[in-house]
């Protein structure tokens, strides 16, 4: 292998390394975005659980009032 061939190979390897570095940057950016999405999903899950608890409490309320007042309120 002569020096010209070696130089061409080195140049190609540098190009490949540059592309790989670019891919690494893109992957890092995607990982950050996925982390943000996961955080958002966790927050929504927590909010959904709070909302569900509140709705369940509201649905139980007519039963408690009906029992306390002995009024036959319709079940929802």
């Amino acid at each position: 292998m002569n020096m010209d061939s070696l130089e061409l190979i080195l140049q190609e390897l540098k190009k490949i390394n540059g592309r790989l570095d670019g891919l690494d940057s893109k992957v890092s950016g995607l990982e950050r975005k996925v982390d943000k999405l996961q955080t958002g999903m966790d927050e929504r899950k927590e909010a959904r659980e709070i909302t569900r608890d509140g709705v369940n409490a509201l649905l139980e309320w007519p039963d408690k009032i009906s029992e306390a007042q002995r009024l036959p309120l319709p079940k929802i």
Side-chain angles (χ1 to χ4, degrees), residues 9-63:
I9 291 171
L10 288 174
Q11 287 175 358
E12 288 302 313
L13 288 174
K14 286 180 183 179
K15 288 179 188 178
I16 291 170
N17 278 336
R19 289 185 197 153
L20 290 174
D21 289 343
L23 287 173
D24 282 342
S25 295
K26 288 180 181 181
V27 168
S28 294
L30 289 172
E31 287 174 337
R32 284 191 297 275
K33 288 179 181 181
V34 167
D35 288 343
K36 285 181 183 179
L37 288 171
Q38 185 63 46
T39 300
M41 289 177 66
D42 292 343
E43 291 170 355
R44 284 185 199 91
K45 182 180 177 184
E46 182 179 343
R48 184 188 69 203
E49 290 172 1
I50 291 169
T51 301
R52 183 180 5 191
D53 290 344
V55 168
N56 287 338
L58 287 172
L59 290 173
E60 291 172 6
W61 180 77
D63 291 338

